[in-house]
Amino acid sequence: MTKLEDHLEGIVNIFHQYSVRVGHFDTLTKGELKKMIQKELPNIIKNTKDQATIDKIFQDLDTDQDGQITFNEILPLLVSMLMTVHKITHQE
């Protein structure tokens, strides 16, 4: 496996690590998303402990408004984080 393929698989594995409910292993609740953001993205997303920030992120991602975030729905967040990291690397 290439380095990029390994990193992509790692992103999928992290998503699954936080989607732990029985029968819903491929979606995140607001609480699961909050845990993932607080533990995995604390240096990129500011105010991760602020519930209003988490609520806004969840609302923006939950495009079908079913109260869960699928892997497809989390992709815009991942793209945004990649763009932020890319920008930061050019500032260093």
Side-chain angles (χ1 to χ4, degrees):
M1 188 176 296
T2 69
K3 188 173 184 178
L4 180 57
E5 291 168 335
D6 188 49
H7 289 298
L8 293 172
E9 184 177 335
I11 291 169
V12 172
N13 289 338
I14 288 171
F15 179 85
H16 286 146
Q17 175 184 336
Y18 290 92
S19 60
V20 295
R21 290 165 295 121
V22 174
H24 297 279
F25 64 90
D26 217 19
T27 62
L28 297 173
T29 63
K30 188 183 295 184
E32 291 167 339
L33 179 68
K34 180 179 180 178
K35 284 180 188 176
M36 186 182 80
I37 288 172
Q38 288 178 338
K39 291 189 180 191
E40 305 295 339
L41 299 169
N43 299 309
I44 298 174
I45 297 178
K46 303 299 179 205
N47 302 320
T48 61
K49 299 205 184 284
D50 177 44
Q51 190 59 46
T53 299
I54 300 299
D55 290 346
K56 175 72 171 127
I57 292 170
F58 189 87
Q59 181 182 11
D60 290 348
L61 295 176
D62 188 16
T63 56
D64 62 4
Q65 299 178 343
D66 68 349
Q68 302 179 67
I69 303 299
T70 64
F71 189 77
N72 286 348
E73 287 175 317
I74 207 163
L75 292 177
L77 177 67
L78 297 176
V79 169
S80 176
M81 296 302 96
L82 281 169
M83 292 170 62
T84 299
V85 170
H86 182 253
K87 183 178 178 181
I88 290 168
T89 60
H90 285 289
Q91 293 174 349
E92 294 176 353

Coordinates of all heavy atoms in Angstrom, one line a residue:
M1 N 0.8 -1.2 0.0 CA 0.0 0.0 0.0 C 0.9 1.2 0.0 O 1.9 1.3 0.7 CB -0.9 0.0 1.3 CG -1.9 1.0 1.3 SD -3.1 1.0 2.7 CE -3.9 -0.5 2.4
T2 N 0.5 2.2 -0.8 CA 1.3 3.5 -0.8 C 1.0 4.3 0.4 O 0.1 4.1 1.2 CB 0.9 4.3 -2.1 OG1 -0.4 4.8 -1.9 CG2 1.1 3.5 -3.4
K3 N 1.8 5.3 0.6 CA 1.7 6.2 1.8 C 0.3 6.9 1.7 O -0.4 7.0 2.8 CB 2.8 7.2 1.8 CG 2.9 8.0 3.1 CD 4.1 8.9 3.1 CE 4.2 9.6 4.4 NZ 5.5 10.4 4.5
L4 N -0.1 7.4 0.6 CA -1.3 8.1 0.4 C -2.5 7.1 0.7 O -3.5 7.4 1.4 CB -1.5 8.7 -0.9 CG -2.8 9.5 -1.2 CD1 -3.0 10.6 -0.1 CD2 -2.8 10.1 -2.6
E5 N -2.4 5.9 0.1 CA -3.5 4.9 0.4 C -3.6 4.6 1.8 O -4.7 4.4 2.4 CB -3.2 3.7 -0.5 CG -3.4 3.9 -2.0 CD -2.8 2.7 -2.8 OE1 -1.9 2.0 -2.3 OE2 -3.3 2.6 -3.9
D6 N -2.4 4.5 2.5 CA -2.4 4.2 3.9 C -3.1 5.3 4.7 O -3.9 5.1 5.6 CB -1.0 4.0 4.4 CG -0.9 3.5 5.8 OD1 -1.6 2.6 6.2 OD2 -0.1 4.1 6.6
H7 N -2.8 6.6 4.4 CA -3.5 7.7 5.0 C -5.0 7.7 4.8 O -5.7 8.0 5.7 CB -2.8 9.0 4.6 CG -1.4 9.2 5.1 ND1 -1.2 9.3 6.5 CD2 -0.3 9.4 4.5 CE1 0.1 9.5 6.7 NE2 0.7 9.5 5.5
L8 N -5.4 7.4 3.6 CA -6.8 7.4 3.3 C -7.5 6.3 4.1 O -8.6 6.6 4.6 CB -7.0 7.2 1.8 CG -6.6 8.3 0.9 CD1 -6.7 7.9 -0.6 CD2 -7.4 9.6 1.1
E9 N -6.9 5.2 4.1 CA -7.5 4.1 5.0 C -7.5 4.5 6.4 O -8.5 4.2 7.1 CB -6.7 2.8 4.8 CG -7.3 1.6 5.6 CD -6.5 0.3 5.4 OE1 -5.8 0.2 4.4 OE2 -6.6 -0.5 6.3
G10 N -6.5 5.2 6.9 CA -6.5 5.7 8.2 C -7.7 6.7 8.5 O -8.3 6.6 9.6
I11 N -8.0 7.5 7.6 CA -9.2 8.4 7.8 C -10.5 7.6 7.9 O -11.3 7.9 8.8 CB -9.3 9.4 6.6 CG1 -8.1 10.4 6.6 CG2 -10.6 10.1 6.6 CD1 -8.0 11.2 5.4
V12 N -10.6 6.6 7.1 CA -11.8 5.7 7.2 C -11.8 5.0 8.5 O -12.9 4.9 9.2 CB -11.9 4.7 6.0 CG1 -13.0 3.7 6.2 CG2 -12.0 5.4 4.7
N13 N -10.7 4.5 9.0 CA -10.6 3.8 10.2 C -10.9 4.7 11.4 O -11.6 4.3 12.4 CB -9.2 3.2 10.4 CG -9.0 2.0 9.5 OD1 -10.0 1.4 9.0 ND2 -7.8 1.7 9.2
I14 N -10.5 6.0 11.4 CA -10.8 6.9 12.4 C -12.3 7.2 12.5 O -12.9 7.2 13.5 CB -10.0 8.2 12.3 CG1 -8.5 8.0 12.6 CG2 -10.6 9.3 13.2 CD1 -7.6 9.1 12.3
F15 N -12.9 7.4 11.3 CA -14.4 7.6 11.3 C -15.1 6.4 12.0 O -15.9 6.5 12.8 CB -14.8 7.7 9.8 CG -16.3 7.9 9.7 CD1 -16.9 9.1 9.8 CD2 -17.2 6.8 9.4 CE1 -18.3 9.3 9.7 CE2 -18.5 6.9 9.3 CZ -19.1 8.2 9.4
H16 N -14.6 5.2 11.6 CA -15.3 4.0 12.2 C -15.0 3.8 13.7 O -15.8 3.3 14.4 CB -14.8 2.7 11.4 CG -15.4 2.6 10.1 ND1 -14.8 2.0 9.0 CD2 -16.7 2.9 9.6 CE1 -15.6 2.0 8.0 NE2 -16.7 2.6 8.3
Q17 N -13.8 4.3 14.1 CA -13.5 4.3 15.5 C -14.5 5.0 16.4 O -14.8 4.7 17.5 CB -12.1 4.8 15.7 CG -11.6 5.0 17.1 CD -10.2 5.7 17.2 OE1 -9.5 5.6 16.3 NE2 -10.0 6.3 18.3
Y18 N -15.0 6.1 15.8 CA -16.0 6.9 16.6 C -17.4 6.6 16.3 O -18.3 7.0 17.1 CB -15.7 8.4 16.3 CG -14.4 8.9 16.9 CD1 -13.2 8.8 16.2 CD2 -14.4 9.3 18.3 CE1 -12.0 9.2 16.8 CE2 -13.2 9.6 18.9 CZ -12.0 9.6 18.1 OH -10.8 10.0 18.7
S19 N -17.7 5.8 15.3 CA -19.1 5.4 15.0 C -19.3 4.0 15.6 O -19.3 3.0 15.0 CB -19.4 5.4 13.5 OG -18.5 4.5 12.8
V20 N -19.5 4.0 16.9 CA -19.5 2.8 17.7 C -20.8 2.1 18.1 O -20.8 1.1 18.7 CB -18.6 3.0 19.0 CG1 -17.2 3.3 18.6 CG2 -19.2 4.1 19.9
R21 N -21.9 2.8 17.8 CA -23.2 2.2 18.2 C -23.5 1.0 17.4 O -23.3 0.9 16.2 CB -24.3 3.3 17.9 CG -24.3 4.4 18.8 CD -25.1 5.6 18.3 NE -24.6 6.1 17.1 CZ -25.2 6.1 15.9 NH1 -26.5 5.8 15.9 NH2 -24.7 6.6 14.8
V22 N -24.0 0.0 18.1 CA -24.4 -1.3 17.5 C -25.5 -1.0 16.5 O -26.5 -0.3 16.8 CB -24.9 -2.3 18.6 CG1 -25.5 -3.5 17.9 CG2 -23.8 -2.6 19.6
G23 N -25.4 -1.5 15.3 CA -26.3 -1.3 14.2 C -26.2 -0.1 13.5 O -26.9 0.2 12.5
H24 N -25.3 0.8 13.9 CA -25.1 2.1 13.3 C -23.6 2.4 13.2 O -23.1 3.5 13.4 CB -25.8 3.2 14.0 CG -27.3 3.1 14.1 ND1 -28.1 3.5 13.1 CD2 -28.0 2.6 15.1 CE1 -29.3 3.3 13.5 NE2 -29.3 2.7 14.7
F25 N -22.8 1.4 12.8 CA -21.4 1.5 12.8 C -20.9 2.4 11.7 O -19.7 2.7 11.6 CB -20.7 0.1 12.6 CG -21.1 -0.5 11.3 CD1 -20.2 -0.3 10.2 CD2 -22.2 -1.3 11.2 CE1 -20.5 -1.0 9.0 CE2 -22.5 -2.0 10.0 CZ -21.6 -1.8 8.9
D26 N -21.7 2.9 10.8 CA -21.2 3.7 9.7 C -21.8 5.1 9.7 O -21.9 5.8 8.7 CB -21.6 3.0 8.4 CG -20.4 3.2 7.3 OD1 -19.3 3.6 7.7 OD2 -20.7 3.0 6.1
T27 N -22.3 5.6 10.9 CA -22.8 6.9 11.0 C -22.3 7.5 12.4 O -22.0 6.7 13.3 CB -24.3 7.0 11.0 OG1 -24.9 6.3 12.1 CG2 -24.9 6.5 9.7
L28 N -22.3 8.8 12.5 CA -21.9 9.5 13.7 C -23.1 10.3 14.3 O -23.7 11.0 13.5 CB -20.7 10.4 13.5 CG -19.4 9.9 13.0 CD1 -18.4 11.0 12.7 CD2 -18.8 9.0 14.1
T29 N -23.3 10.1 15.6 CA -24.2 11.0 16.3 C -23.5 12.3 16.5 O -22.3 12.4 16.3 CB -24.7 10.4 17.6 OG1 -23.6 10.3 18.5 CG2 -25.4 9.1 17.4
K30 N -24.2 13.3 17.0 CA -23.6 14.6 17.4 C -22.5 14.4 18.5 O -21.4 14.9 18.4 CB -24.6 15.6 17.9 CG -24.0 17.0 18.0 CD -25.0 18.0 18.6 CE -26.2 18.2 17.6 NZ -27.1 19.2 18.1
G31 N -22.8 13.5 19.4 CA -21.9 13.2 20.5 C -20.6 12.5 20.0 O -19.5 12.9 20.4
E32 N -20.8 11.6 19.0 CA -19.6 10.9 18.5 C -18.8 11.9 17.6 O -17.6 11.8 17.7 CB -20.1 9.7 17.6 CG -20.7 8.6 18.5 CD -21.5 7.6 17.7 OE1 -21.9 7.8 16.5 OE2 -21.7 6.4 18.2
L33 N -19.5 12.7 16.9 CA -18.8 13.7 16.1 C -18.0 14.6 17.0 O -16.8 15.0 16.7 CB -19.7 14.5 15.2 CG -19.1 15.6 14.3 CD1 -18.2 15.0 13.2 CD2 -20.1 16.5 13.8
K34 N -18.6 15.1 18.1 CA -17.9 16.0 19.0 C -16.7 15.3 19.6 O -15.6 15.9 19.6 CB -18.9 16.3 20.2 CG -18.3 17.2 21.2 CD -19.3 17.5 22.3 CE -18.7 18.5 23.3 NZ -19.7 18.8 24.4
K35 N -16.8 14.0 20.0 CA -15.6 13.3 20.5 C -14.5 13.3 19.4 O -13.3 13.5 19.7 CB -16.0 11.9 20.9 CG -16.7 11.8 22.2 CD -17.0 10.4 22.6 CE -17.9 10.3 23.8 NZ -18.3 8.9 24.1
M36 N -14.9 12.9 18.2 CA -13.9 12.8 17.1 C -13.2 14.2 16.9 O -12.0 14.3 16.8 CB -14.5 12.3 15.8 CG -13.5 12.1 14.7 SD -14.3 11.6 13.2 CE -14.8 13.1 12.6
I37 N -14.0 15.2 16.8 CA -13.4 16.6 16.6 C -12.5 17.0 17.7 O -11.4 17.5 17.5 CB -14.5 17.6 16.4 CG1 -15.2 17.4 15.0 CG2 -14.0 19.0 16.5 CD1 -16.4 18.2 14.8
Q38 N -12.9 16.8 19.0 CA -12.1 17.2 20.1 C -10.8 16.4 20.2 O -9.8 16.9 20.6 CB -12.9 17.0 21.4 CG -14.0 18.1 21.5 CD -14.8 17.9 22.8 OE1 -14.9 16.8 23.4 NE2 -15.5 19.0 23.2
K39 N -10.8 15.1 19.9 CA -9.6 14.3 20.0 C -8.8 14.3 18.8 O -7.5 14.2 18.9 CB -10.0 12.8 20.3 CG -10.6 12.7 21.7 CD -10.8 11.3 22.1 CE -11.4 11.3 23.5 NZ -11.4 10.0 24.1
E40 N -9.4 14.4 17.6 CA -8.6 14.3 16.3 C -8.3 15.6 15.6 O -7.4 15.7 14.8 CB -9.3 13.4 15.4 CG -9.7 12.0 15.9 CD -8.5 11.1 16.3 OE1 -7.4 11.3 15.7 OE2 -8.7 10.2 17.0
L41 N -9.0 16.7 16.0 CA -8.8 17.9 15.2 C -8.7 19.2 16.2 O -9.1 20.3 15.8 CB -10.0 18.2 14.3 CG -10.2 17.1 13.2 CD1 -11.5 17.3 12.5 CD2 -9.0 17.2 12.2
P42 N -8.2 19.0 17.4 CA -8.2 20.2 18.3 C -7.3 21.3 17.9 O -7.4 22.4 18.3 CB -7.7 19.5 19.6 CG -6.8 18.4 19.2 CD -7.5 17.9 17.9
N43 N -6.3 21.0 17.0 CA -5.4 22.1 16.6 C -5.8 22.8 15.3 O -5.2 23.8 14.9 CB -4.0 21.5 16.4 CG -3.5 20.9 17.7 OD1 -3.5 21.6 18.7 ND2 -3.0 19.7 17.6
I44 N -6.8 22.2 14.6 CA -7.3 22.8 13.4 C -8.6 23.5 13.6 O -8.9 24.6 13.1 CB -7.4 21.7 12.3 CG1 -6.1 21.1 12.0 CG2 -8.0 22.3 11.0 CD1 -6.1 20.0 11.0
I45 N -9.6 22.9 14.3 CA -10.8 23.5 14.6 C -10.8 24.2 15.9 O -10.5 23.5 17.0 CB -12.0 22.4 14.6 CG1 -12.1 21.8 13.2 CG2 -13.3 23.1 15.0 CD1 -13.2 20.7 13.1
K46 N -11.0 25.5 15.9 CA -11.0 26.2 17.2 C -12.3 26.1 17.9 O -13.3 25.8 17.3 CB -10.7 27.7 16.9 CG -9.4 28.0 16.1 CD -8.2 27.5 16.9 CE -7.0 27.7 16.1 NZ -5.9 26.8 16.4
N47 N -12.3 26.3 19.2 CA -13.5 26.2 20.0 C -14.1 24.8 20.0 O -15.4 24.7 20.0 CB -14.5 27.2 19.6 CG -14.0 28.6 19.7 OD1 -13.2 29.0 20.6 ND2 -14.3 29.5 18.7
T48 N -13.3 23.7 20.0 CA -13.9 22.4 20.0 C -14.7 22.0 21.2 O -15.5 21.1 21.2 CB -12.8 21.3 19.7 OG1 -11.9 21.4 20.8 CG2 -12.1 21.5 18.4
K49 N -14.5 22.8 22.3 CA -15.2 22.5 23.5 C -16.5 23.3 23.6 O -17.4 23.1 24.5 CB -14.4 22.8 24.7 CG -13.1 21.9 24.7 CD -12.6 21.7 26.1 CE -11.3 20.9 26.1 NZ -11.5 19.5 25.9
D50 N -16.7 24.2 22.6 CA -17.9 25.1 22.6 C -19.0 24.3 21.9 O -18.9 24.0 20.7 CB -17.6 26.4 21.8 CG -18.8 27.3 21.7 OD1 -19.6 27.4 22.6 OD2 -19.0 27.8 20.5
Q51 N -20.1 24.0 22.6 CA -21.2 23.3 22.1 C -21.9 23.9 20.8 O -22.3 23.3 19.9 CB -22.3 23.0 23.1 CG -23.4 22.0 22.7 CD -22.8 20.6 22.3 OE1 -22.0 20.1 23.0 NE2 -23.2 20.1 21.2
A52 N -21.9 25.3 20.8 CA -22.5 26.0 19.7 C -21.7 25.7 18.4 O -22.2 25.5 17.3 CB -22.6 27.5 20.0
T53 N -20.4 25.6 18.5 CA -19.5 25.3 17.4 C -19.8 23.9 16.9 O -20.0 23.7 15.7 CB -18.0 25.4 17.8 OG1 -17.7 26.8 18.2 CG2 -17.1 25.0 16.7
I54 N -19.9 22.9 17.8 CA -20.2 21.6 17.4 C -21.6 21.5 16.8 O -21.8 20.8 15.8 CB -20.1 20.6 18.6 CG1 -18.7 20.6 19.2 CG2 -20.5 19.2 18.3 CD1 -17.6 20.2 18.3
D55 N -22.5 22.2 17.4 CA -23.9 22.2 16.8 C -23.9 22.7 15.4 O -24.6 22.1 14.5 CB -24.8 23.0 17.7 CG -25.1 22.4 19.0 OD1 -24.9 21.2 19.2 OD2 -25.7 23.1 19.9
K56 N -23.2 23.8 15.1 CA -23.1 24.4 13.8 C -22.5 23.4 12.8 O -23.0 23.2 11.7 CB -22.4 25.7 13.9 CG -22.2 26.4 12.5 CD -23.4 26.9 12.0 CE -23.1 27.8 10.7 NZ -23.9 27.4 9.6
I57 N -21.4 22.8 13.2 CA -20.7 21.9 12.3 C -21.6 20.7 12.0 O -21.8 20.3 10.8 CB -19.4 21.4 12.9 CG1 -18.4 22.5 13.0 CG2 -18.8 20.2 12.1 CD1 -17.1 22.2 13.8
F58 N -22.3 20.2 13.0 CA -23.2 19.0 12.8 C -24.3 19.4 11.9 O -24.6 18.7 11.0 CB -23.7 18.5 14.2 CG -24.5 17.2 14.1 CD1 -23.8 16.0 14.2 CD2 -25.9 17.2 13.9 CE1 -24.5 14.8 14.0 CE2 -26.5 16.0 13.8 CZ -25.9 14.8 13.8
Q59 N -24.9 20.6 12.1 CA -26.0 21.0 11.3 C -25.6 21.2 9.8 O -26.3 20.8 8.9 CB -26.6 22.3 11.8 CG -27.7 22.9 11.1 CD -28.2 24.2 11.6 OE1 -27.6 24.9 12.4 NE2 -29.4 24.7 11.1
D60 N -24.4 21.7 9.6 CA -23.9 21.9 8.3 C -23.7 20.6 7.6 O -23.9 20.5 6.4 CB -22.7 22.8 8.3 CG -22.9 24.2 8.6 OD1 -24.1 24.7 8.7 OD2 -21.9 24.9 8.9
L61 N -23.2 19.6 8.3 CA -22.8 18.3 7.7 C -24.0 17.4 7.5 O -24.1 16.6 6.6 CB -21.8 17.6 8.6 CG -20.4 18.2 8.7 CD1 -19.6 17.4 9.7 CD2 -19.7 18.4 7.4
D62 N -25.0 17.5 8.4 CA -26.2 16.6 8.3 C -27.2 17.0 7.2 O -28.2 17.5 7.5 CB -26.9 16.5 9.7 CG -28.0 15.5 9.8 OD1 -28.0 14.6 8.9 OD2 -28.8 15.6 10.7
T63 N -26.8 16.8 6.0 CA -27.5 17.4 4.9 C -28.9 16.8 4.7 O -29.8 17.5 4.2 CB -26.7 17.2 3.5 OG1 -26.4 15.8 3.4 CG2 -25.5 18.0 3.6
D64 N -29.1 15.5 5.1 CA -30.4 15.0 5.0 C -31.2 15.1 6.3 O -32.3 14.6 6.5 CB -30.4 13.5 4.6 CG -29.6 12.6 5.6 OD1 -29.2 13.1 6.7 OD2 -29.5 11.4 5.3
Q65 N -30.6 15.8 7.3 CA -31.3 16.1 8.6 C -31.9 14.9 9.3 O -33.0 15.0 9.8 CB -32.3 17.2 8.4 CG -31.7 18.5 7.8 CD -32.7 19.6 7.6 OE1 -33.9 19.4 7.5 NE2 -32.2 20.8 7.4
D66 N -31.1 13.8 9.3 CA -31.6 12.6 10.0 C -31.0 12.4 11.3 O -31.2 11.4 12.0 CB -31.4 11.4 9.1 CG -30.0 11.0 8.9 OD1 -29.1 11.8 9.3 OD2 -29.7 9.9 8.4
G67 N -30.2 13.4 11.8 CA -29.6 13.3 13.1 C -28.4 12.4 13.2 O -27.9 12.1 14.3
Q68 N -27.8 12.1 12.0 CA -26.6 11.3 11.9 C -25.8 11.8 10.8 O -26.3 12.3 9.8 CB -27.0 9.8 11.7 CG -27.9 9.2 12.7 CD -28.2 7.8 12.4 OE1 -27.3 6.9 12.4 NE2 -29.4 7.5 12.1
I69 N -24.5 11.6 10.9 CA -23.5 11.9 9.9 C -23.0 10.7 9.3 O -22.3 9.9 9.9 CB -22.3 12.8 10.5 CG1 -22.9 14.0 11.2 CG2 -21.3 13.2 9.4 CD1 -23.6 15.0 10.4
T70 N -23.2 10.5 8.0 CA -22.6 9.4 7.2 C -21.2 9.8 6.8 O -20.8 10.9 6.9 CB -23.4 9.1 6.0 OG1 -23.4 10.2 5.1 CG2 -24.9 8.7 6.3
F71 N -20.5 8.8 6.3 CA -19.1 9.1 5.8 C -19.2 10.1 4.7 O -18.4 11.0 4.6 CB -18.4 7.8 5.4 CG -17.0 8.0 5.1 CD1 -16.1 8.2 6.1 CD2 -16.5 8.2 3.8 CE1 -14.7 8.4 5.8 CE2 -15.2 8.4 3.5 CZ -14.3 8.5 4.5
N72 N -20.2 9.9 3.8 CA -20.3 10.9 2.7 C -20.6 12.3 3.2 O -20.1 13.3 2.6 CB -21.4 10.4 1.7 CG -21.1 9.3 0.9 OD1 -19.9 8.9 0.8 ND2 -22.0 8.7 0.2
E73 N -21.4 12.4 4.2 CA -21.7 13.7 4.8 C -20.5 14.4 5.5 O -20.4 15.6 5.6 CB -22.9 13.6 5.8 CG -24.2 13.4 5.1 CD -25.3 13.2 6.0 OE1 -25.2 12.5 7.1 OE2 -26.4 13.8 5.8
I74 N -19.6 13.6 5.9 CA -18.4 14.2 6.6 C -17.3 14.6 5.6 O -16.4 15.4 6.0 CB -17.8 13.2 7.7 CG1 -17.1 14.0 8.8 CG2 -16.8 12.2 7.1 CD1 -16.8 13.2 10.0
L75 N -17.4 14.2 4.4 CA -16.4 14.6 3.4 C -16.2 16.1 3.3 O -15.0 16.5 3.2 CB -16.7 14.0 2.0 CG -16.6 12.4 2.0 CD1 -17.0 11.9 0.6 CD2 -15.3 12.0 2.4
P76 N -17.2 16.9 3.3 CA -16.9 18.4 3.2 C -16.0 18.9 4.4 O -15.2 19.7 4.2 CB -18.3 19.0 3.3 CG -19.2 18.0 2.7 CD -18.6 16.7 3.2
L77 N -16.2 18.3 5.6 CA -15.4 18.7 6.7 C -13.9 18.3 6.4 O -13.0 19.0 6.7 CB -15.9 18.1 8.0 CG -15.1 18.3 9.2 CD1 -15.1 19.8 9.6 CD2 -15.5 17.5 10.4
L78 N -13.8 17.0 5.9 CA -12.4 16.6 5.7 C -11.7 17.4 4.6 O -10.5 17.7 4.7 CB -12.5 15.1 5.2 CG -13.0 14.1 6.3 CD1 -13.1 12.7 5.7 CD2 -12.2 14.1 7.6
V79 N -12.5 17.8 3.6 CA -11.9 18.6 2.5 C -11.5 20.0 3.1 O -10.4 20.5 2.8 CB -12.9 18.8 1.3 CG1 -12.4 19.9 0.4 CG2 -13.1 17.5 0.6
S80 N -12.4 20.5 3.9 CA -12.0 21.8 4.5 C -10.8 21.7 5.4 O -9.9 22.6 5.4 CB -13.3 22.3 5.4 OG -13.0 23.4 6.0
M81 N -10.7 20.6 6.1 CA -9.5 20.4 7.0 C -8.2 20.3 6.2 O -7.2 20.8 6.5 CB -9.7 19.2 7.9 CG -10.8 19.3 8.9 SD -10.8 20.8 10.0 CE -11.8 22.0 9.2
L82 N -8.3 19.5 5.1 CA -7.2 19.4 4.2 C -6.7 20.7 3.6 O -5.5 21.0 3.6 CB -7.5 18.4 3.0 CG -7.5 16.9 3.4 CD1 -8.0 16.1 2.2 CD2 -6.0 16.5 3.7
M83 N -7.7 21.5 3.2 CA -7.4 22.9 2.7 C -6.7 23.7 3.8 O -5.8 24.5 3.5 CB -8.6 23.5 2.1 CG -9.1 22.8 0.9 SD -10.7 23.3 0.3 CE -10.4 25.0 -0.1
T84 N -7.2 23.6 5.0 CA -6.6 24.4 6.1 C -5.2 24.0 6.4 O -4.3 24.8 6.5 CB -7.5 24.3 7.4 OG1 -8.8 24.8 7.1 CG2 -6.9 25.0 8.6
V85 N -5.0 22.7 6.4 CA -3.6 22.1 6.7 C -2.7 22.6 5.5 O -1.5 22.9 5.8 CB -3.7 20.6 6.8 CG1 -2.3 20.0 6.8 CG2 -4.4 20.2 8.1
H86 N -3.2 22.5 4.3 CA -2.4 22.9 3.2 C -2.0 24.4 3.3 O -0.8 24.8 3.1 CB -3.1 22.7 1.9 CG -2.4 23.1 0.7 ND1 -2.7 24.2 -0.1 CD2 -1.3 22.4 0.1 CE1 -1.8 24.2 -1.1 NE2 -1.0 23.2 -1.0
K87 N -2.9 25.2 3.7 CA -2.6 26.6 3.9 C -1.6 26.9 5.0 O -0.7 27.7 4.9 CB -3.9 27.4 4.2 CG -3.8 28.9 4.3 CD -5.1 29.5 4.6 CE -5.0 31.0 4.8 NZ -6.3 31.6 5.1
I88 N -1.8 26.1 6.1 CA -0.8 26.3 7.2 C 0.6 25.9 6.8 O 1.5 26.5 7.2 CB -1.3 25.4 8.4 CG1 -2.6 26.1 9.0 CG2 -0.3 25.3 9.5 CD1 -3.3 25.2 10.0
T89 N 0.7 24.8 6.0 CA 2.0 24.4 5.7 C 2.8 25.4 4.8 O 4.0 25.5 4.9 CB 2.0 23.0 4.9 OG1 1.2 23.2 3.7 CG2 1.4 21.9 5.7
H90 N 2.0 26.2 4.1 CA 2.7 27.3 3.3 C 3.0 28.5 4.1 O 3.8 29.3 3.7 CB 1.8 27.6 2.1 CG 1.8 26.6 1.0 ND1 2.9 26.4 0.2 CD2 0.8 25.7 0.6 CE1 2.6 25.5 -0.6 NE2 1.4 25.0 -0.4
Q91 N 2.5 28.6 5.3 CA 2.7 29.7 6.2 C 3.9 29.5 7.1 O 4.5 30.4 7.7 CB 1.5 30.0 7.1 CG 0.4 30.6 6.3 CD -0.9 30.8 7.1 OE1 -1.0 30.3 8.3 NE2 -1.9 31.4 6.5
E92 N 4.3 28.2 7.2 CA 5.4 27.9 8.1 C 6.8 28.2 7.5 O 7.0 28.3 6.4 CB 5.4 26.4 8.5 CG 4.1 26.0 9.3 CD 4.0 24.6 9.6 OE1 4.7 23.7 9.0 OE2 3.1 24.2 10.3

